[in-house]
Amino acid sequence: MDRQLDPGGGVDFSQLRRMPFDIGEPGDHESLVEPIYGSWEANVDHALRRSPIDICRSRREKQIVLGNFGLVRVLRPSDGSPLREGDFCMVMPFGRSDPYGYAELVFAYDMPGTIGLLAERTRINSDLLLPIPRDTRFSLGQWAAYARYFTAWDNWRCALACWRAQMPEADPADHLVFGWGGGVVFAELLLAKRAGFRVAMSTGSEIRAQLLRKHGIDPIMRPTGDPATSEDNGAGARTESLSHVDDFAARIAELTSGRGAAIVIDNIGEKLHALSLKLLGRQGVLTTCGWKLDMRISHLRGQECINRRLHVHTHAWRSLDIERIRDFSEEAEWIAPPESQVTYDFDEVPQLARDYVGGNLAPYFPLYRVNEP
Ligand SMILES: NC(=O)c1ccc[n+]([C@@H]2O[C@H](COP(=O)([O-])OP(=O)(O)OC[C@H]3O[C@@H](n4cnc5c(N)ncnc54)[C@H](OP(=O)(O)O)[C@@H]3O)[C@@H](O)[C@H]2O)c1
């Protein structure tokens, strides 16, 4: 697909169109695959906007094929690979990893030379292809949304370990985990609930609120306006949005008997940072794996020290854990619920891009279908 920036610096999605792209012959360790479902996520949107990084420039490539997460069918496995023709596989992100198995460069994102899933055929290093269970109870579409679940699993593992480091005897049932919107947070709060915590999540839509209730998550309508600029100006003049922020903080205080949340998950950024800290209790953990709106945050270090609050930053997940997370998903039925998904045809990708950026998607896990299952 080709894209151009409009003069205002935003993306003109009408410029997205299908075009020929030579994928070349698979290398020694690469399998030939056909993408079935791709998962539309913030990183595809970031890449289209060339912000926060311009990945064409960082990869020094004139044209790239995006689409780093989704489900593919193996057409021709590489020699010596345990994969079989016809296997359905999830694509793992490990373009380049550190010695401990954590991703440094992401496949079909900032890893040079990789070709993503927004193509009818592609070639992928066989080590990045994780087959779904052969006798799975779930649909291919449900598996295609795995990336935010795998990310949530890893972030939750770290956040929980940090909370336990200071609160070894505490009963999770007495504590609240709160998160700001999004598919990763939805998946992560379901893990928090399994661990025994009470869980609450913000949303801007009643349809999403219904989904959250159905899954045992307490929905809280999020503040309108920009919380970052909603402080009292010192002269008693309060903006309209401040009352929503106060209401929001009051709701969390009510849910925690005034102690604040044990863990706050924020993948949004600076706009919500001050409020996130206001919602967090002592010995609390502020955890993130995303920067949807901003990459920089600032806070008062002394206050965080005195309140003994730990800040956790993670990215993707560890290659050594992939089978474990997949098997947990199958066994625990911890997988995107069908009612949280919507699927667009390949030719509807420009509309999907528009709907995603316009906030017009009620489901958390939008997909595009490249080839028929
Ligand atoms: N590092 C990793 O491994 C990794 C992996 C996956 C995702 N991520 C990152 O995590 C972030 C979130 O991704 P996601 O896929 O979970 O979510 P997402 O689908 O991008 O949606 C984000 C949610 O944030 C809420 N939202 C939007 N603007 C908001 C605002 N101003 N204040 C409060 N809430 C707001 C919206 O929900 P409501 O309208 O319902 O409130 C929306 O559903 C992204 O930055 C993504 O890149 C990172």
Side-chain angles (χ1 to χ4, degrees), residues 57-94:
R57 193 163 288 172
S58 80
R59 285 171 51 160
R60 298 177 189 275
E61 290 169 52
K62 215 165 168 223
Q63 286 185 318
I64 61 174
V65 178
L66 294 172
N68 52 338
F69 292 128
L71 203 80
V72 301
R73 177 163 39 216
V74 175
L75 297 176
R76 199 172 68 225
S78 59
D79 287 346
S81 150
L83 296 169
R84 298 193 311 213
E85 185 183 329
D87 278 350
F88 289 106
C89 297
M90 297 173 272
V91 179
M92 298 292 112
F94 311 103

Side-chain angles (χ1 to χ4, degrees), residues 105-153:
L105 295 179
V106 171
F107 163 83
Y109 189 69
D110 49 2
M111 179 64 192
T114 50
I115 304 168
L117 308 186
L118 278 156
E120 289 177 351
R121 299 272 187 286
T122 186
R123 51 182 170 83
I124 301 182
N125 183 330
S126 301
D127 292 344
L128 302 188
L129 296 174
L130 176 67
I132 64 171
R134 290 223 158 83
D135 50 355
T136 180
R137 296 175 286 165
F138 306 113
S139 71
L140 298 180
Q142 286 176 278
W143 281 109
Y146 62 92
R148 279 172 282 190
Y149 275 72
F150 279 45
T151 303
W153 188 94

